[in-house]
Amino acid sequence: MPSIITHAAVPLALWCAADRGRIPPRLLGAGVIAAVLPDADVLAFALHIPYADAFGHRGASHSLLFALVLAVLAAMLAFFGSRQSWSAPDSSGSRQPWSAVSCQPRLAPTKAGPTVTSTLQAAVFVFVCAASHPLLDALTSGGLGVALAWPWSDHRFFAPWRPIRVSPFAPQFFSARGLATLLSELRWVWLPLAGAVIAWKLIHPAPAAPRDLS
């Protein structure tokens, strides 16, 4: 597996590439969690679950179904959480919309709460972040492959090209092998993503802020 630090690179790159404010901090946090959560299955070693088992490391939690479940949960939280936090009763008992930035009531609502589009965008973002984890793992040089098709198949998949050095587990991470892993991830993950973000920004520059004519 790439290190936990590098699994967070995909949501961070998407956040950098998006227009300012398009991915709010809470959604970015959800994306980072979704990108690193599949490796919680390392607890399987402590539970004596075999590596190759469906619930072993790189098993069920590295499937596209798991990424889809996280995306559905994100959509539910985005929809119902936004509905609850969108407005709050004022001193007269009426409800006023609240600004996500200043936490002060706006003079007029900008929207009537969460939309289908915003909910779907949150789900897609979390799905991409979660699915990036097993896809990156499939590019590593060691270990078993990833169970992308679980529960329909227990087959472990590897990419035809595997340039990323596999990360050692925690006891060996702070060693020469761990340093070599970080350098490999810098070369094959961080630098390409940074280049992609810069290229995207050059092709799609941020829209100019509206001028205040008052």
Side-chain angles (χ1 to χ4, degrees), residues 91-104:
S91 57
S92 63
S94 62
R95 301 182 72 84
Q96 298 289 338
W98 287 74
S99 163
V101 176
S102 63
C103 293
Q104 295 295 324

Side-chain angles (χ1 to χ4, degrees), residues 75-174:
M76 295 173 62
L77 290 174
F79 185 79
F80 293 108
S82 296
R83 283 175 63 97
Q84 293 174 2
S85 62
W86 175 74
S87 61
D90 59 17
S91 57
S92 63
S94 62
R95 301 182 72 84
Q96 298 289 338
W98 287 74
S99 163
V101 176
S102 63
C103 293
Q104 295 295 324
R106 296 184 186 273
L107 295 178
T110 57
K111 62 180 181 177
T115 64
V116 173
T117 300
S118 63
T119 302
L120 181 61
Q121 287 176 341
V124 170
F125 176 75
V126 169
F127 176 82
V128 170
C129 294
S132 71
H133 185 116
L135 294 179
L136 283 176
D137 278 1
L139 291 168
T140 56
S141 61
L144 294 181
V146 292
L148 283 174
W150 182 89
W152 297 278
S153 172
D154 290 335
H155 179 73
R156 298 294 186 97
F157 294 88
F158 262 131
W161 181 54
R162 296 186 285 162
I164 305 174
R165 189 182 181 98
V166 69
S167 175
F169 291 107
Q172 299 176 327
F173 188 77
F174 298 99

